[in-house]
């Protein structure tokens, strides 16, 4: 069932590998459609905010592409997986609270459980979008291969 008060006409769930261009595409779409029509939602925001709160860390520094974030990345991923196992909709519910625009762009759908939650909550208005970039393009954007980064429930490595 959809969270109270939320009734989007279209929800686009974006997935793709790191540095594939998901943020670029979703920000361009929002810019073209306008903020009164389109909401840009990021699952990583509430994850990082809750992780920072529970671990006494600087939330703002976890949002940027810093070595600070990289220091905590592995633990933050494990912590997020534990939260999702206990409650698959935990982060999804947080990002849709109070959203009133008719079009939602979820820029970082990385888990099949996230897609399942949105499909169960919003049904036919859900569309998935896969953003693909060559390894060369991703490297030019700062991506570096890191062994052990994939997760079985993750869409990022597909």
């Amino acid at each position: 069932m959809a969270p109270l008060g939320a009734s989007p006409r279209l929800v686009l769930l974006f997935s793709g590998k790191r540095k594939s261009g998901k943020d670029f595409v979703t920000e361009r779409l929002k810019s073209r459609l306008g903020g009164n029509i389109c909401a840009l939602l990021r699952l990583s925001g509430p994850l990082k905010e809750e992780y920072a709160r529970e671990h006494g860390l600087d939330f703002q520094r976890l949002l940027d592409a810093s070595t600070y974030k990289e220091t905590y990345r592995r633990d933050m991923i494990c912590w997020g997986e534990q939260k999702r196992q206990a409650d698959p909709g935990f982060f999804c519910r947080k990002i849709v609270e109070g959203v009133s625009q008719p079009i939602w762009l979820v820029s970082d759908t990385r888990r099949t459980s996230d897609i399942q939650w949105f499909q169960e909550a919003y049904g036919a208005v859900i569309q998935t979008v896969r953003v693909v970039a060559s390894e060369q393009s991703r490297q030019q954007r700062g991506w570096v291969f890191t062994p052990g980064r994939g997760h079985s429930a993750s869409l990022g490595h597909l």
Side-chain angles (χ1 to χ4, degrees), residues 61-109:
R61 290 185 68 196
L62 288 177
L63 290 175
D64 63 30
S66 66
T67 55
Y68 182 84
K69 178 176 75 175
E70 293 303 318
T71 302
Y72 298 102
R73 180 184 292 278
R74 184 177 225 81
D75 185 60
M76 192 167 30
I77 290 169
C78 291
W79 175 88
E81 290 302 316
Q82 291 170 352
K83 284 284 192 193
R84 284 183 176 97
Q85 286 173 0
D87 178 2
F90 183 80
F91 300 112
C92 298
R93 281 191 306 280
K94 286 190 174 290
I95 65 167
V96 302
E97 287 175 0
V99 179
S100 61
Q101 294 91 329
I103 299 174
W104 300 356
L105 309 175
V106 182
S107 69
D108 56 351
T109 312

Side-chain angles (χ1 to χ4, degrees), residues 7-12 101-105 124-127:
S7 58
R9 288 192 310 220
L10 175 65
V11 179
L12 298 177
Q101 294 91 329
I103 299 174
W104 300 356
L105 309 175
V125 301
I126 300 297
Q127 294 291 319

Side-chain angles (χ1 to χ4, degrees), residues 1 8 23 27 37 47 80 97 101 112-113 122 149 153 155 158:
M1 179 170 211
D23 287 332
E27 287 173 19
I37 300 292
L47 185 149
E97 287 175 0
Q101 294 91 329
T112 54
S113 61
Y122 300 103
R149 283 289 317 264
L155 299 171
L158 298 176

Side-chain angles (χ1 to χ4, degrees), residues 28 31 41 48 80 90 103 108 110 123 129 132:
R28 290 291 296 257
S31 174
L41 310 174
K48 291 172 183 172
F90 183 80
I103 299 174
D108 56 351
R110 294 188 176 102
V129 179
V132 178

